[in-house]
Every structure is written in structure tokens, then in C-alpha cells.
Amino acid sequence: MRGDPGRTTGGGRRPTVLHVAEAWGGGVQTAVRDYVRSVPEVRHLLLMSERADCQITDTDALFDGVWRMPSGHFARVRDVGRLFRGLRPDVVHAHSSLAGAYVRLAPSVPTERIVYTPHCYAMERGDLARHAAAAVQTVERVLSRRTGTVAGVSPREVELARALRKRQRAVHVPNLVPRQEATAVPLRPRAETAVRTGDFGSLPPRTVAAVGRLCPQKDPAFFAEAAAEGRRLMPSSNWFWLGGGDPAHRERLERAGVTVTGWLDHRSLQRLLGQVAVYAHTALWEGAPMTLLEAVGLGRPVVARRIPALESLGLTGLVDTPRQLAAAAVAVLTHGPGEKNDVRLAELFAEHTRERQRMMLRYAYGQ
């Protein structure tokens, strides 16, 4: 635990936001760190629980106070209430479903001070049975009465928030597309570029890569099927998964001829992502995937599976099957990205800027 509840700067009190994140890591961690940097005049505090299967970057230097959640759902609800009463923040910003429940079930937190970012509503999960998804939706509908503002990471989240409660105050706070073109390589790298076994200092030409944790959400089996088909269509193509996780998923990918790097630090991941010829996104459900936006920022062509969140972002050329993904990737490797795709990715870049994120966050925080 670290924090100074009375800390201020200058002659007056700074507005305070308490971020609550039950699964601190991955895309949630990246998004919240961007929020902190986009609204630096606000004093940012963090109550979190770390994900064991994600790399955690240093948080203490970025936040004005950091607290770890206790074990147990009821204990966490009580902890949110206790911390709110002690700190009296202007806003409590809950990130993802469980944190959203903890905050909204804490009676001491006023509804008007609650900002909720689902980072993909749980009822969107493609691995839930219909009755389970309906139950989750019912819970979200009930809790929506305790939600001051929904700060959705995609137009899809805003749409769902207003479907849950017609008069819900909701705003699209875009994730950032970081401009990192200096680290990207040309789309047609030289043929002699190669990767050494076990050394991922560089990637081979004609590489199609997916990124993320090997888990059901990312659906590595979809990518494995696409890789097998892609290698049949273009034997010289190379298929990589940049990330690690469940050994069963890794084995499935490797049987299909996919090279799995294992976990990479963020700097190494960005370097390799800047070398891929095609970025492939195969997730079953998402909010607004950070790795896809990072690929856009690196100027990489994108082929992606059709899911509601990506449709709401206006991505073109979305596919429904592994065969279609393989064909789309091979088409890019052969002919380059289409002009329509280039235009939409450029528009996406323009929509996901620091300035836009700052403006929408200030609105969500009532500033």
C-alpha cells in the first residue's frame, strides 16, 4: 500500500480520480496508464489486483497512490467503500466487469461519481452459453442504475450501455493509436531477413503475426487453422504468435506450423510487431484491442475477424472463418493492402489521438 490522501500541488486541491482495476495487466493496464498521461492535471490513485499471467509494469511512479485489493469479492467491495470514505475522490473509475461490480455495490460511493469502463462487456464473451450471457446481461442492467457515466472504449460499448439503460450518460473514450513509425520496417522486407531459432531479434519476410495471451478469448485455434491454410496457399509465408500462455494452445499452434515466441517485454513486442507483413486479429470478443491499434500506429496492414467491437470501429475487410483470414492475409502478402483498407486505417489513426482521449475523459470526469 502506498499513498498520501492529503497530497495536493500548488495552492488548491487537485481533482482526484480513484481507478479500480481487478485485473491489472494487459490491455487494461495500458489503457489506464494512457488515461493518466492524457489528463495530468488530475490526481490519479489506483486500487488494483494484479493478474498472475500478465507482465506488470511499474505503477508506483505514475500514480499518486497505489493500493492492492484483498482476497475475496465481499472484502473487495468493503475495501472500495473504505478507501472512498478515507480519500473522498471526485470520481471512482472502475475498469472491467468485476471492478465495476465492486464499485457499484459499495453503498458509500455516490452514483454520480462512478465512471465505468467495461473494456468489453462480459455478455459479449463468445465462450459463454446463452443462459450465462443472459444472466450477465441482467446483472449489468441492474448495476446500470448505479452507473453515473459509461466511458466506453468503442462505439459498441456506448451502444450497449444505452441499451441497458436508455438515459445512461455514456461517452466513447478512444484507446490511443501510438505513433511509432520509426520502428516499423518496409512492408516488403528484403528476402534475406531471417530469424534464428530461439532468437527473435528479427522476423522472416512474409510474416503474418497475432499478438496476445494464449487463452480462449484470443482463440488461438482460429489462428492455427488460418496458418495451416495460409501455408498451403503460400508455402513461403511465415506465421507467428507473439506471446505466451496456456501450453495446450501453444502445442495446437505449433502443430499447425506457427512459431510461438513466448512472453515478450513490451519493447521487444513493439520491435517485432513493427516487422510483420500482416497483423492478424482473431479474438472472439474485445473492447478496443490495444495490439490492433498499436499495429495501426506502426503502419502494419491488418486482417481481422468480424466481431461487434471491430465492426463498430468501422474496420473494413473483416472475415468470418479461418480460411477467409488466410486468403486475406495471403492477398496482402501478394498484392499489398488495398487502398480502401489504407484509408480506413488512416481515419482510425486520426480518431484515436491523445487530444481526443483527453477531451472525452474530461467530459466523463465532469470537468
Side-chain angles (χ1 to χ4, degrees):
M1 179 184 296
R2 182 186 70 83
D4 177 4
R7 179 175 167 182
T8 60
T9 60
R13 181 181 180 276
R14 295 165 61 193
T16 300
V17 174
L18 172 63
H19 297 274
V20 181
E22 177 272 338
W24 184 250
V28 170
Q29 176 182 226
T30 302
V32 177
R33 291 171 70 88
D34 283 336
Y35 294 172
V36 173
R37 295 186 179 103
S38 289
V39 195
E41 68 273 22
V42 168
R43 182 167 161 260
H44 294 274
L45 311 174
L46 176 65
L47 173 63
M48 59 87 152
S49 175
E50 297 176 355
R51 288 179 65 158
D53 56 354
C54 285
Q55 292 185 343
I56 306 298
T57 57
D58 178 54
T59 57
D60 287 350
L62 190 62
F63 292 89
D64 291 286
V66 179
W67 292 263
R68 266 69 180 180
M69 288 182 178
S71 299
H73 296 311
F74 292 112
R76 290 176 174 185
V77 172
R78 289 194 298 269
D79 207 43
V80 169
R82 178 192 61 78
L83 207 55
F84 177 82
R85 290 190 297 272
L87 299 172
R88 308 304 299 181
D90 300 279
V91 173
V92 181
H93 192 162
H95 299 274
S96 295
S97 300
L98 283 177
Y102 300 154
V103 170
R104 291 179 290 179
L105 289 173
S108 62
V109 183
T111 298
E112 66 273 13
R113 295 198 190 188
I114 297 174
V115 175
Y116 176 40
T117 298
H119 298 281
C120 189
Y121 275 102
M123 62 265 196
E124 294 273 88
R125 288 181 55 158
D127 64 341
L128 289 181
R130 184 176 299 178
H131 67 276
V136 170
Q137 184 169 352
T138 299
V139 171
E140 284 287 0
R141 190 180 302 278
V142 171
L143 290 176
S144 70
R145 301 169 190 166
R146 281 276 292 143
T147 308
T149 301
V150 172
V153 297
S154 69
R156 172 67 174 172
E157 284 193 359
V158 173
E159 173 192 337
L160 288 173
R162 289 175 176 155
L164 291 168
R165 186 160 69 94
K166 184 179 294 186
R167 296 183 180 179
Q168 178 67 67
R169 185 176 189 261
V171 60
H172 174 207
V173 179
N175 288 336
L176 296 185
V177 175
R179 184 178 292 276
Q180 303 173 75
E181 295 169 318
T183 64
V185 299
L187 290 182
R188 296 183 182 274
R190 297 190 302 272
E192 63 268 20
T193 303
V195 62
R196 297 186 296 276
T197 301
D199 176 6
F200 300 106
S202 60
L203 295 177
R206 295 175 294 280
T207 290
V208 181
V211 176
R213 185 165 51 100
L214 294 174
C215 63
Q217 180 198 358
K218 302 300 182 184
D219 203 359
F222 190 101
F223 188 76
E225 289 185 44
E229 175 66 9
R231 293 172 70 235
R232 185 189 68 80
L233 295 173
M234 179 182 279
S236 62
S237 63
N238 299 280
W239 295 71
F240 274 68
W241 189 283
L242 308 181
D246 189 332
H249 287 308
R250 179 173 190 141
E251 182 180 350
R252 173 72 178 85
L253 287 166
E254 290 175 343
R255 285 202 309 269
V258 177
T259 301
V260 180
T261 64
W263 290 115
L264 300 164
D265 62 69
H266 192 257
R267 184 184 298 273
S268 298
L269 174 61
Q270 292 300 299
R271 177 171 46 77
L272 293 180
L273 187 57
Q275 297 173 21
V276 306
V278 180
Y279 169 75
H281 196 81
T282 63
L284 267 171
W285 68 91
E286 287 280 14
M290 298 299 302
T291 53
L292 186 150
L293 297 175
E294 287 170 344
V296 171
L298 288 162
R300 301 299 87 188
V302 172
V303 295
R305 184 181 191 171
R306 187 186 314 279
I307 55 174
L310 297 191
E311 287 184 305
S312 78
L313 291 174
L315 287 180
T316 61
L318 298 173
V319 302
D320 297 298
T321 68
R323 282 178 172 268
Q324 291 174 352
L325 189 139
V330 168
V332 173
L333 293 176
T334 305
H335 306 294
E339 181 178 343
K340 186 176 180 181
N341 182 268
D342 281 346
V343 169
R344 179 56 197 138
L345 292 183
E347 292 172 349
L348 195 65
F349 188 98
E351 294 163 4
H352 288 68
T353 62
R354 177 79 67 188
E355 293 75 18
R356 177 75 176 172
Q357 184 181 80
R358 172 180 167 77
M359 181 172 66
M360 295 299 98
L361 277 173
R362 285 179 59 84
Y363 173 82
Y365 294 160
Q367 296 188 334

